[in-house]
Amino acid sequence: MFDFINPILGRHPEQIKANVEIYTWQTCPYCIRAKLLLWWKGVNYTEYKIDGNAAARNTMAERANGYRTVPQIFINDQHIGGCDDIYTLDGKGELDPLLSKPAAA
């Protein structure tokens, strides 16, 4: 509805082609902060809420090279890391290029 404002704010959701997944806990402040950045960029992501689900947490840890903290973020099946990591990538200007690459078929 307010798509006209996206370019003014520096948002380009039409350029997002990547498959983004994030493992979260519902009340985790770092998860909320990471999701806020993704939302701001206009990313449609898949969220796996793993609150109290040991099997889901183990699956996340296997994908995340043993990391068990949340959030854990994946872009096109590449492990990005957590909240600080995604903000660091964004600060270096490296996040948008990752988000603009389509997932491999």
Side-chain angles (χ1 to χ4, degrees):
M1 177 164 67
F2 295 104
D3 291 339
F4 70 92
I5 202 162
N6 282 335
I8 296 167
L9 297 175
R11 296 177 67 195
H12 302 284
E14 72 282 355
Q15 295 177 1
I16 307 297
K17 308 283 188 238
N19 177 41
V20 179
E21 301 169 277
I22 181 170
Y23 288 83
T24 66
W25 280 357
Q26 192 167 339
T27 58
C28 163
Y30 298 102
C31 299
I32 294 166
R33 188 168 178 250
K35 292 189 302 183
L36 181 62
L37 176 60
L38 294 172
W39 169 83
W40 178 256
K41 292 192 168 286
V43 176
N44 290 321
Y45 55 85
T46 302
E47 180 178 9
Y48 304 107
K49 295 179 183 175
I50 64 168
D51 302 62
N53 185 336
R57 189 177 189 127
N58 289 335
T59 299
M60 176 197 75
E62 286 175 20
R63 289 187 71 195
N65 304 313
Y67 288 98
R68 300 185 61 80
T69 58
V70 289
Q72 290 300 321
I73 304 159
F74 297 84
I75 299 176
N76 292 335
D77 287 322
Q78 176 186 347
H79 181 233
I80 300 304
C83 181
D84 291 343
D85 300 308
I86 198 167
Y87 272 89
T88 298
L89 281 174
D90 190 44
K92 292 179 178 178
E94 297 174 5
L95 181 58
D96 289 342
L98 285 176
L99 293 173
S100 66
K101 292 180 185 175

